[in-house]
Amino acid sequence: MSYDGFFIRDYVGETIDGSKGTSWTNSPDIICSGPTPLADPKTILNADNYNKGLPIGYKQSPEMNNWVYVRGVNPQTVPQKTTIYMYYADSSVMLWPQNWKYREFMYAGEYQNWASFVAPPSTDNLGLQGTIPPFGWTPPTKYHYCLVAWAKNGPQQNIPPDLQSIGKVSDLGKFIISNPNIGWKNTIAVDATKPTLTGTAPIDGPPEGGILNIGLQCDKIPKGGYIEFFVPGPNEDNTIIFPKTKIEVNNYAPTVQVEYPAESGGFKTQLTWNYYEGTTPAQDGANIIPFAGTWGLTSDFIDIVRKTAPQFLADVHHYGTPVEFARNKGQLQIPIKKMMIVGSIPFRFTR
């Protein structure tokens, strides 16, 4: 069967026009990395990794954000735009489309189960393209779910697929055969320490590209608890993975510096964070605040802000770039610096 649309495999080694194998719910092109994003998202677009079905990702932690990457190839000799729609279904022998769910997905900080991109021609790196940044997905309970990625090609990509109600086994068979643009992936639930509170905040990079300092302020959060946050980036050098870290100072505000590329509307991603309560609970009115900040372009910028708009200044613990942080992450006692906050979203504790 000839197929010219964006292609998502059912198994390693599958080709568009080749014979079909028996494993059709273990797509190597749907990669769930769990609560921590891939350190280097570009690994999903490496041709050798693609051919080998790497990286492998099928473990998910329930009731917290998990990162889901989808890739595929464009078989055409010209670039092709496609839109990926994500769904999940309770693991069952029968994956009836009418039972697929989508409301627990986010993309770039928005509650949506779709992402559009342009795949290069087949002569350019096999025509590989994928979701960078990835989808965020929060499995509602501890369960074995099946992830479904649907590539919608051609016109009217903004109209979601018709998840038709199917009542006959023969019709389900016809549905599977007639949709080679769908990938399926069984996941396994993994026990994980459930955070006390979790949150997500969208991040819009500068349209002209450039440096952005991203952080998380623990406002009135007591010592002894733990915080972690993640921001998938366009590449390894600009993906933030801030691991579970003990809060040992008042108003702890770790920040990491990234540089995003120039693109229309700015590079869009999202920050997810998890707070684990210690022996002392956070009181009513405490906040966890994702924020973005700047030191400006001149040495006297902060002094100017201090005189003209001091309410925008915050004390932060700056760890440098993701590369610097990974190299020096054991050195958590670093000097506090003043930074101008240019955007924030507070998450308030209520008791």
Side-chain angles (χ1 to χ4, degrees), residues 11 38 63 74 126 168 195 217 228 248 261 271 288 310 333:
Y11 57 90
L38 295 175
E63 300 180 11
N74 170 24
L126 306 180
K168 297 180 180 179
Q217 185 176 47
E228 63 186 1
E248 296 182 330
L271 179 154
I288 291 181
Q333 299 299 327

Side-chain angles (χ1 to χ4, degrees), residues 23-341:
S23 178
W24 61 282
T25 56
N26 191 30
S27 172
D29 297 335
I30 301 174
I31 303 152
C32 182
S33 67
T36 303
L38 295 175
D40 182 4
K42 293 295 181 66
T43 59
I44 71 170
L45 304 182
N46 177 279
D48 187 53
N49 282 348
Y50 175 80
N51 290 329
K52 294 177 180 177
L54 301 174
I56 297 172
Y58 59 89
K59 296 180 180 179
Q60 48 88 0
S61 294
E63 300 180 11
M64 58 193 302
N65 182 78
N66 292 258
W67 302 103
V68 180
Y69 302 77
V70 181
R71 67 182 168 197
V73 293
N74 170 24
Q76 299 186 35
T77 57
V78 295
Q80 176 180 198
K81 181 181 179 182
T82 191
T83 299
I84 302 294
Y85 289 86
M86 285 300 306
Y87 304 91
Y88 73 96
D90 294 345
S91 288
S92 170
V93 173
M94 305 300 292
L95 293 176
W96 302 107
Q98 59 264 36
N99 295 334
W100 297 357
K101 304 175 181 69
Y102 63 89
R103 297 189 183 280
E104 282 73 22
F105 286 99
M106 298 188 74
Y107 190 75
E110 301 291 337
Y111 280 101
Q112 64 184 56
N113 72 319
W114 55 270
S116 297
F117 52 74
V118 176
S122 59
T123 53
D124 182 359
N125 193 38
L126 306 180
L128 269 168
Q129 190 55 280
T131 54
I132 298 176
F135 287 98
W137 171 49
T138 303
T141 60
K142 184 179 179 180
Y143 203 79
H144 288 226
Y145 293 108
C146 183
L147 288 167
V148 182
W150 183 312
K152 193 169 184 186
N153 309 294
Q156 298 183 319
Q157 293 184 23
N158 61 324
I159 300 176
D162 179 15
L163 300 182
Q164 54 189 286
S165 180
I166 297 176
K168 297 180 180 179
V169 173
S170 59
D171 290 339
L172 180 60
K174 292 176 183 177
F175 173 81
I176 294 171
I177 292 173
S178 62
N179 285 286
N181 53 325
I182 297 177
W184 318 67
K185 183 64 166 281
N186 279 326
T187 66
I188 295 177
V190 176
D191 285 328
T193 302
K194 186 178 178 181
T196 308
L197 195 65
T198 184
T200 299
I203 300 289
D204 293 340
E208 295 183 3
I211 291 174
L212 196 62
N213 294 286
I214 299 174
L216 199 70
Q217 185 176 47
C218 302
D219 176 42
K220 302 181 181 67
I221 300 295
K223 301 177 185 178
Y226 293 82
I227 196 76
E228 63 186 1
F229 70 96
F230 311 101
V231 187
N235 51 43
E236 181 178 13
D237 290 343
N238 294 289
T239 291
I240 299 175
I241 298 177
F242 194 90
K244 191 174 180 180
T245 300
K246 190 173 184 179
I247 301 170
E248 296 182 330
V249 295
N250 293 325
N251 297 318
Y252 184 43
T255 67
V256 181
Q257 181 175 291
V258 294
E259 184 171 1
Y260 289 154
E263 56 183 68
S264 178
F267 176 77
K268 297 183 182 300
T269 183
Q270 64 190 51
L271 179 154
T272 65
W273 57 267
N274 299 309
Y275 168 65
Y276 302 85
E277 194 170 76
T279 55
T280 303
Q283 299 301 308
D284 181 74
N287 292 275
I288 291 181
I289 310 173
F291 66 86
T294 181
W295 282 294
L297 298 177
T298 61
S299 59
D300 62 346
F301 178 80
I302 294 300
D303 288 333
I304 295 174
V305 177
R306 185 180 286 111
K307 295 175 183 177
T308 59
Q311 70 274 21
F312 291 105
L313 291 177
D315 292 328
V316 305
H317 302 76
H318 187 63
Y319 291 97
T321 67
V323 174
E324 292 171 331
F325 174 66
R327 184 175 62 237
N328 304 316
K329 60 185 176 183
Q331 302 175 19
L332 296 179
Q333 299 299 327
I334 60 174
I336 294 175
K337 302 178 67 175
K338 289 287 186 183
M339 176 182 286
M340 181 182 179
I341 305 303

